[in-house]
Amino acid sequence: MGKTLFISDLHLHQTRPLTTAAFFHFLEHEARHAAALYILGDLFEYWVGDDQLDYDTLSIEVSRALARLAEFHVPVFLMHGNRDFLIGLRFALAAKLTLLTDPTKITVAGKQYLLLHGDTLCTDDTKYQTFRTMARDAAWQASVLAKPYEERVALAQMIRERSDTEKAVKPEDIMDVTTQTVESTFRQHGYIEMIHGHTHRQARHVYKIDGHECIRNVLADWHNDAMVFALPQPTP
């Protein structure tokens, strides 16, 4: 059995062909030997509803590439990010993957880990947290999904452009995790090791909290060389 692999923040889009090619290469080689693959959010630059599979060629290709991992008995798990939170059951079935709630606890080789996308840790960014609360509301999602496809794409592009503009003027520390929130999350979940993406700031952070050594692993985005985080395979 291979290693358990974690990736996030690929932001797949037609305008990023090199990232797409790297992802397909990963699925066709390293991922086929994995014990499991976890995608911790923002697989796509945006997702406007599962009918994106009817209009967007890249979305179809990604779903088929992920589904092929089932032939190699590699389970795939997907957590929503802040860009693709509208991914639903149709895409999950097409890609033969399991959708995860945020956060989720898993056990690998007898050790527990806490998986998150990571945006819930960035509580100093109050404007984003207000948007996140709205965007996760079932009524808001239903109202968006009721709009024509082209209108949803335009809305997603507008939100993306506005986000990029706001990021350019936001202080750097606001867009990173909030220490107090990280500490309270460790306490809430029993101080187990954490794995998340979202911030694009790959690192391994060690905290001392209430006498416990707590580890927070931040995944790289797919604009860097080190794209995959792996946990060792279980000892026979």
Side-chain angles (χ1 to χ4, degrees), residues 75-146:
V76 180
F77 303 89
L78 174 66
M79 182 176 286
H80 293 120
N82 55 293
R83 298 294 186 100
D84 54 13
F85 53 85
L86 288 176
I87 287 177
L89 183 59
R90 180 182 169 189
F91 177 80
L93 291 172
K96 297 184 180 179
L97 56 79
T98 301
L99 294 173
L100 298 178
T101 57
D102 185 354
T104 286
K105 287 183 181 180
I106 65 169
T107 301
V108 177
K111 181 178 178 179
Q112 277 197 315
Y113 297 86
L114 182 69
L115 309 182
L116 314 90
H117 175 56
D119 54 342
T120 56
L121 302 175
C122 303
T123 51
D124 282 346
D125 191 347
T126 55
K127 188 171 184 178
Y128 167 72
Q129 293 300 330
T130 299
F131 170 78
R132 188 185 191 281
T133 299
M134 177 187 71
R136 297 307 190 278
D137 179 73
W140 183 89
Q141 292 188 2
S143 69
V144 169
L145 292 172

Side-chain angles (χ1 to χ4, degrees), residues 13-47:
H13 191 263
Q14 292 89 342
T15 58
R16 294 171 179 157
L18 294 180
T19 301
T20 301
F23 180 55
F24 286 158
H25 183 272
F26 163 74
L27 293 180
E28 292 167 4
H29 294 85
E30 185 177 359
R32 291 186 178 184
H33 305 286
L37 172 63
Y38 288 85
I39 306 170
L40 301 188
D42 286 355
L43 173 61
F44 294 97
E45 178 67 1
Y46 59 77
W47 191 265

